[in-house]
Every structure is written in structure tokens, then in C-alpha cells.
Amino acid sequence: MDDLRGGGVGEPAADGRGRTWAVEGVRPGSAAGEALVCTEPISGWGGIDPATGTIVETRHPQHGAGFAGKILVIPGAKGSSGWSGQFHLAMLNGTAPAAIVFDRLNTKLALGLVVLRTPAVTGGETAFTGVIRTGDQVHVDADNGLLTVTAPGPGTPLPQQEGKT
């Protein structure tokens, strides 16, 4: 296996897809699914609707996008400690993301990951918000510190607008 610091296993595509990355597992578990990439941090309190698993923050670039059952790729969290409460409600409602991939950890995100109980990883120096695209297929293996990103298969409909579902 290659040195994976900021890199991947095998010959990656120029855009980072078709690649397995070494990551730091922050919350144990594994999950696979379609990625929803947020270009800005999400505010938990008032930023999401835990009943529907949708980003409702009015000025957020991915406003209206659904994260339920998806691999949520975010730069980080912002706002108050309401982040953890709102994502906990999403978990109870069955509308939580399947896993979270994040660039920057802060106290809001850390507490949110504890109560959300979903697999979570970070890439350290690699900002996955710039590598993964909405619609990519992502496998998160926090237990073994691996993240695999592949482009959607042929015929897979992509969101019409980046971040929207």
C-alpha cells in the first residue's frame, strides 16, 4: 500500500474519483451511499429540518438539498450548540445522514457526532469538500480509516444543480 497521507491507493483519476483515501476515523462504523457535498458549513439550529432531513438555512448554497441516508460531506459546523440537538432529532426521525465526512472539527461538530451516532471521518490535510462531488458514490470505513470515492455509474441521474437533490 502506498503512503496515503493526502493521497490514495492505486492510480487515481485526476479529480480524485476512483480512489481510496486514508482518513482518520472519528466516530466508528461504516456506511456507503450517495454524497451530498456542502460548500459551506451547516448551521444546526435553524439550518436543517430534522423532520425531513433537509437543509433549510435560507442563504446556504445547498438550501433545499436532502441529506437523509446520504454521505454528508461538509467543511464543518457553525452556529450554536443546537447543531447536536437538531441532528439528534434527525437521527430519531430516521432522516439523519448515513455518514459524515468533514474537513474541520470544532466543538459543535464533535458533540453532534457523539449524539448522531453515525460513522464520521476527516481527511486531515485533504479537504474532501474539494474532492468529492454531489452524486458520487462514497464508502466510509471509519473503523479501518478508509474512504473510497467513485463517480456515479452510467445512467445514474445526477442532481440538476450542485448540492440539490
Side-chain angles (χ1 to χ4, degrees):
M1 188 180 289
D2 300 331
D3 175 14
L4 301 180
R5 190 181 334 251
V9 177
E11 293 298 317
D15 63 3
R17 295 150 128 197
R19 177 176 206 167
T20 297
W21 299 79
V23 293
E24 181 181 344
V26 176
R27 180 76 179 80
S30 65
E34 179 184 334
L36 170 64
V37 179
C38 290
T39 55
E40 291 184 12
I42 297 175
S43 175
W45 191 262
I48 70 163
D49 179 353
T52 61
T54 304
I55 298 170
V56 296
E57 185 177 344
T58 306
R59 295 175 193 231
H60 196 279
Q62 284 72 44
H63 175 263
F67 56 76
K70 295 185 179 179
I71 307 300
L72 182 60
V73 183
I74 56 175
K78 67 178 182 179
S80 69
S81 59
W83 207 91
S84 59
Q86 293 297 93
F87 275 92
H88 181 70
L89 287 173
M91 181 194 69
L92 295 175
N93 288 327
T95 62
I100 295 181
V101 177
F102 64 91
D103 295 339
R104 292 181 311 276
L105 183 63
N106 60 21
T107 56
K108 293 156 210 41
L109 183 55
L111 181 56
L113 294 174
V114 170
V115 300
L116 188 55
R117 295 185 230 156
T118 191
V121 299
T122 186
E125 294 180 18
T126 302
F128 284 108
T129 52
V131 174
I132 302 171
R133 296 181 186 166
T134 293
D136 282 351
Q137 292 299 303
V138 177
H139 181 260
V140 174
D141 182 352
D143 297 328
N144 294 302
L146 297 172
L147 177 76
T148 302
V149 180
T150 56
T156 302
L158 290 175
Q160 290 189 314
Q161 185 179 21
E162 182 70 17
K164 301 286 184 173
T165 56

